[in-house]
Amino acid sequence: WKPSMIATAWRRWVRPSAAHARRRLSCIRTFLRGRKGPACRAGERLARRPSSSIRWRGFSSEFAGLGGLTHRLNQIAEQAIGKEDIQRARDERDRLLHTLSKDDVSKRRLVHNTCLKAAANAGLRTEAERMYSEIVGDIGEEDLNSKTFGKMMEACANSEPPDPVGAKKWAAKRQEVGLETNVELFNILIHCHARLGEIGEAESIFDTMLKEEGIEPNAITFNSLIDSCAQLGDVERANRWFDEMQRVGLRPDVQTWNALINARAKRGKATRDQRQIVEAERLLESMLKEDGIEPNEITFNSLIDACAQL
């Protein structure tokens, strides 16, 4: 999902104090009561939830294994948005490395990769490159794995502005060391171009992945493509990718629906066409009734922002 939206959600919903969060929810509830429709009813349900449940939950992590060795470091990495967080991740990394034997390469690599995740999530390429040099200095380049290169690519994709050239450089380096190409690599490249609004380039990478490499797309692949269309307000193209996602047997998730709703909301906001907002609310109803997927803060951010412009 688009990192700038994640950062926005984090700043709006997680960092404020509990009292501040309650005031925000009260404002949303008041706003929604002035409108009708499923978006408002669902929004009121969201606003009635206990404040402790209104949190940005971050992505599930593959780094939390090995008896919870990196649990605290992973929490810092999941929430990283700036240099302050990067320093906290470095401090925790150094503490963990101090407890590990120099010969325990797998655990040391896990710690390094989890710290690198902080720089990747924050989109800080320079910090990521410094960390990469530190990893190579500690365990050697021959013991790096696909996660290391994946996080380097993510740092490029999440940076401001996104750096597709840098992402492709790390993809090539990954292949140079003998690591197999997989769907994760292509997803990051698609996501990078999607953030730039380069939907044609993103679709070209999709075709290469499917036709030349024979790699099947997953839900993340389609979410990136649909989100790219949404950023441009290209509703028809977003719908085509949504249909293709279902045709290959993949089930839409909350990120998929958010992207579709955002596409309608952006077009409605740009054209001041209330019909697009009504259609966005219809999508929300389908999301709730047909797929049974609960909306999140990002869903309502899109709708409320679009409504405010009418």
Side-chain angles (χ1 to χ4, degrees):
W1 189 253
K2 188 175 178 183
S4 61
M5 295 184 73
I6 293 170
T8 299
W10 174 255
R11 292 189 188 99
R12 288 180 181 175
W13 297 97
V14 183
R15 286 200 163 181
S17 65
H20 194 179
R22 283 194 294 273
R23 287 197 296 273
R24 287 182 182 276
L25 291 174
S26 176
C27 291
I28 290 174
R29 185 162 52 237
T30 300
F31 176 85
L32 291 170
R33 281 174 179 164
R35 292 180 57 82
K36 296 179 180 179
C40 304
R41 292 194 295 273
E44 287 178 359
R45 286 203 302 275
L46 178 69
R48 285 197 296 270
R49 292 178 187 174
S51 60
S52 61
S53 70
I54 307 298
R55 296 289 186 271
W56 176 255
R57 299 187 182 277
F59 296 118
S60 60
S61 171
E62 68 275 16
F63 295 102
L66 293 182
L69 171 69
T70 60
H71 177 70
R72 175 174 163 73
L73 178 55
N74 186 62
Q75 286 184 320
I76 297 169
E78 288 280 1
Q79 300 168 1
I81 59 173
K83 289 189 176 182
E84 215 174 272
D85 301 311
I86 301 301
Q87 189 55 53
R88 288 174 58 219
R90 283 180 178 279
D91 292 343
E92 179 63 12
R93 177 202 64 183
D94 293 344
R95 185 188 71 78
L96 290 171
L97 290 175
H98 186 69
T99 67
L100 297 173
S101 165
K102 280 284 187 181
D103 297 327
D104 200 342
V105 173
S106 62
K107 287 186 179 180
R108 296 184 76 85
R109 181 177 58 214
L110 173 69
V111 170
H112 279 298
N113 282 351
T114 310
C115 186
L116 183 57
K117 181 181 180 182
N121 284 356
L124 298 175
R125 287 173 294 171
T126 303
E127 291 293 337
E129 288 168 359
R130 283 179 57 202
M131 288 183 186
Y132 179 85
S133 298
E134 289 162 0
I135 298 171
V136 172
D138 185 27
I139 64 173
E141 198 167 51
E142 66 279 2
D143 284 312
L144 302 181
N145 63 9
S146 61
K147 295 300 178 188
T148 313
F149 291 101
K151 293 305 168 189
M152 293 304 300
M153 291 176 66
E154 284 181 31
C156 296
N158 292 342
S159 65
E160 295 293 347
D163 179 16
V165 174
K168 288 172 182 175
K169 179 194 79 173
W170 287 106
K173 192 168 181 62
R174 168 185 169 142
Q175 291 177 306
E176 285 173 14
V177 300
L179 294 170
E180 289 185 4
T181 302
N182 60 16
V183 68
E184 179 189 27
L185 181 150
F186 284 101
N187 282 347
I188 297 169
L189 292 176
I190 288 171
H191 170 67
C192 189
H193 286 285
R195 285 197 62 216
L196 288 168
E198 297 174 347
I199 182 61
E201 187 63 29
E203 288 175 338
S204 175
I205 292 170
F206 177 88
D207 288 339
T208 299
M209 176 183 78
L210 192 63
K211 296 175 182 177
E212 296 182 20
E213 298 291 339
I215 296 173
E216 291 296 321
N218 59 19
I220 296 172
T221 316
F222 285 101
N223 286 348
S224 291
L225 288 165
I226 294 169
D227 185 53
S228 179
C229 300
Q231 299 311 310
L232 300 173
D234 191 337
V235 172
E236 293 75 21
R237 211 166 187 171
N239 287 339
R240 285 201 299 274
W241 282 111
F242 180 70
D243 292 341
E244 178 65 13
M245 180 182 190
Q246 293 182 303
R247 189 190 69 77
V248 301
L250 293 171
R251 186 173 182 269
D253 58 20
V254 67
Q255 294 180 359
T256 316
W257 286 104
N258 280 350
L260 287 173
I261 290 169
N262 193 35
R264 290 285 181 179
K266 276 191 175 293
R267 178 172 286 186
K269 181 178 175 180
T271 61
R272 296 187 178 276
D273 183 355
Q274 191 166 357
R275 292 173 299 176
Q276 298 296 330
I277 309 303
V278 171
E279 183 62 23
E281 290 185 344
R282 187 194 66 77
L283 286 170
L284 177 57
E285 188 170 30
S286 297
M287 172 183 175
L288 287 163
K289 290 184 177 179
E290 295 175 18
D291 273 17
I293 296 174
E294 281 289 319
N296 59 19
E297 290 84 356
I298 294 174
T299 318
F300 292 106
N301 281 349
S302 297
L303 284 167
I304 292 170
D305 184 50
C307 291
Q309 303 302 316
L310 295 179

